[in-house]
């Protein structure tokens, strides 16, 4: 059951593909989440992050700083929001880096409700 808007978690979604970013934003908002978006890793690093219950959803491959690079930068600044990295065919090194910074991986193509399930799980921990 989706959370009610009064109790929805907030999501910061980072993806440089405008169409995918808008589609994901729409899909997540239908599920009751409040969604802020960023186009680049650099924008995320400069972004005022929400306080309280929030989750980062980052595409791995972005123009400029990757989603994982941006997350590593935030972690060095003490940002400990749960994070989900979206990527296709992650290499073992990418998986290891994601694990070190506490990011779950959801592989593309995004099928079913896996991303939403991962977000809900991240927000309950």
């Amino acid at each position: 059951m989706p959370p009610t808007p009064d109790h929805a978690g907030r999501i910061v979604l980072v993806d440089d593909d405008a169409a995918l970013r808008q589609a994901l934003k729409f899909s997540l908002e239908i599920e009751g989440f409040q969604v802020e978006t960023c186009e680049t890793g650099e924008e995320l690093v400069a972004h005022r992050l929400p306080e309280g219950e929030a989750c980062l959803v980052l595409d791995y491959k972005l123009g400029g700083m990757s989603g994982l690079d941006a997350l590593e930068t935030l972690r060095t600044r003490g940002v400990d929001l749960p994070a989900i990295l979206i990527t296709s065919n992650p290499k073992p090194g990418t998986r290891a880096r994601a694990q070190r910074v506490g990011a779950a991986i959801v592989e593309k193509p995004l099928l079913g409700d896996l991303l939403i399930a991962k977000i809900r799980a991240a927000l309950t921990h």
Side-chain angles (χ1 to χ4, degrees):
M1 181 166 122
T4 63
D6 293 348
H7 297 94
R10 289 195 292 248
I11 298 175
V12 179
L13 171 65
V14 186
D15 200 306
D16 59 352
D17 179 324
L20 180 57
R21 187 174 61 246
Q22 287 307 111
L24 283 174
K25 181 179 190 295
F26 178 76
S27 175
L28 293 169
E29 287 175 341
I30 286 175
E31 292 294 323
F33 296 105
Q34 298 171 20
V35 182
E36 301 172 23
T37 61
C38 295
E39 188 174 341
T40 66
E42 291 83 358
E43 184 181 346
L44 173 66
V45 169
H47 189 76
R48 181 181 164 99
L49 296 171
E51 296 179 18
E53 191 174 316
C55 180
L56 303 171
V57 177
L58 311 101
D59 187 26
Y60 174 74
K61 190 174 183 179
L62 301 168
M65 176 184 279
S66 76
L68 193 51
D69 291 339
L71 182 57
E72 287 173 337
T73 299
L74 291 174
R75 294 294 193 238
T76 65
R77 296 179 182 175
V79 174
D80 64 352
L81 293 174
I84 298 168
L85 189 68
I86 301 170
T87 187
S88 53
N89 302 316
K91 295 180 180 173
T94 300
R95 287 186 184 278
R97 282 179 65 200
Q99 185 175 19
R100 275 195 301 274
V101 294
I105 292 178
V106 174
E107 291 190 47
K108 292 179 182 177
L110 302 175
L111 302 173
D113 291 337
L114 182 60
L115 178 59
I116 290 166
K118 288 273 189 181
I119 291 169
R120 287 197 177 122
L123 289 171
T124 59
H125 284 96

